[in-house]
Amino acid sequence: MIPMHLTEKEEKMLNGEEGYAVKKAMQILVALGDIYGAESLIKVGSVQVAGVSYHNLGDAGLEFLDELAKDGKVKVLTTLNPAGMDLENWRQLGISPEFAEKQNMVIDAFEKMGILVSCTCTPYLIGNLPRYGEHVAWSESSAVTFANSVIGAKTNREGGPSALAAALVGKTPCYGLHLDEHRVPDIHVKVNARLAKFSDWGALGYSVGKKAENKIPYITGVKDAEVDELKSFCASVVTYGAKPLFYMQSITPGSENHQPPKDTVTIEDVDIQEAYEDINDEVSDIDFVCVGCPHCSIKEIADISNLLKGKTVSPNTELWVATSRFAKQLADKRGYTEVIERAGGKFACDTCMAVAPLKGRFRSVATTSAKGCYYSRHNKMLTKMGSLEECVEAAVTGKWK
Ligand code: F3S
């Protein structure tokens, strides 16, 4: 194994000349670079750090962050993934004061390091938007897939510690998806299926992920796609098996630079149907509805508000609209918040259905998200995936039709 080349300045950082946090961060980056055969470190334009929920970090994670926060300061724009709770309205979401206290300590540590406390998996909607071809170090899988595929930036799927290390140093080891030779599609996915409703994008992601099996798909046959649809597809395709990069002919950047690979699979209507059958459980009573995985855009919030006008959420069901605080502030101004909350819906800012401590609280969930279903099963919930209309209907009636 040839060790990664370090500049004089990087050597000094590794030797502790810039303090404890930078030394620790360099140790992480050097170990990673050596494992993956990186030749050097490369500058990053921004970082997105996952591993924010106290639910996942525990006391050991909190201790690690506190140590780094003693003298660590990020060198580039750095945003956070969802935390374990809404940082303002955690009580309303049924979070215990003990959990809230620990979660706030985690957030304080990040904030001390100069990280923007914008806990969202859609950083690209709130100002952390890389340019085409820019190297970044992001860690949440749907955001990584979006950055690589829809924006055309370059990032590996970082772990929480390696992303934080990149933020403290301003660099990441140059290997994997940072290198053009590893960004070549290796499976052609022909889509012959009709995509009729929003959740079909989650089902498509499921099918492509399963068929692509850790490869980079080159997708043909999709005529058009909205950003929210691509956001949903990104979350699903990587959750169910593909690499966090795809090309969609005539839709995503860089697709014009590649030819469909020889190795070909097709997605027919029956595959979309099968995806729904695999993702959905046999259940009709719904006690939890969560939309916003990935976090809702302002357009999705507007749609939810329109669907809820004049309706009331069932007393047997809890409805969460998961989004960034930034989108919520826009929703406040536009009056969407008032409509949603008057109907009995709750905003879950800064958090999400996968990282909030939900185990044991609900029996069944309805959502627009294939990824949301995957993680809800880990939380022992029965799952239903459907359109926004179907989810709002489930929230109002407490039933899945
Ligand atoms: Fe985002 Fe949580 Fe879904 S991080 S993609 S809302 S599981």
Side-chain angles (χ1 to χ4, degrees), residues 83-119:
M85 63 182 199
D86 186 308
L87 299 178
E88 291 178 8
N89 292 323
W90 50 270
R91 272 192 194 83
Q92 202 199 19
L93 299 183
I95 302 293
S96 73
E98 296 74 33
F99 183 90
E101 192 186 345
K102 294 285 191 174
Q103 183 63 72
N104 281 329
M105 288 165 79
V106 169
I107 295 297
D108 286 349
F110 281 127
E111 205 166 14
K112 223 170 140 190
M113 286 185 256
I115 297 176
L116 286 183
V117 181
S118 54
C119 302

Side-chain angles (χ1 to χ4, degrees), residues 81-82 121 140 142 292-294 352 354 371:
N81 211 37
C121 52
E140 197 281 321
S142 75
C293 173
C352 86
K371 178 178 178 180

Side-chain angles (χ1 to χ4, degrees), residues 274-344:
E274 275 173 22
Y276 276 100
E277 282 161 18
D278 286 348
I279 291 168
N280 285 348
D281 291 313
E282 280 302 314
V283 60
S284 60
D285 290 339
I286 301 292
D287 58 357
F288 182 45
V289 177
C290 186
V291 283
C293 173
H295 272 174
C296 280
S297 65
I298 188 64
K299 183 174 176 289
E300 290 173 300
I301 297 174
D303 291 344
I304 298 164
S305 158
N306 275 335
L307 288 166
L308 273 175
K309 253 185 205 142
K311 298 192 177 143
T312 309
V313 171
S314 160
N316 303 321
T317 307
E318 183 147 323
L319 167 65
W320 282 17
V321 177
T323 190
S324 64
R325 190 156 296 285
F326 181 79
K328 160 80 166 39
Q329 281 160 359
L330 288 177
D332 293 349
K333 288 210 173 93
R334 297 288 300 169
Y336 304 141
T337 303
E338 203 192 332
V339 174
I340 292 169
E341 291 187 338
R342 201 180 321 119

Side-chain angles (χ1 to χ4, degrees), residues 29 34 71 108 121 173 177 193 221 256 260 285 361-362 375 381 392:
L29 298 180
D34 287 347
D71 69 349
D108 286 349
C121 52
L177 293 177
E256 65 282 2
D285 290 339
R361 277 186 59 191
F362 303 106
Y375 284 100
M381 287 183 234
V392 168

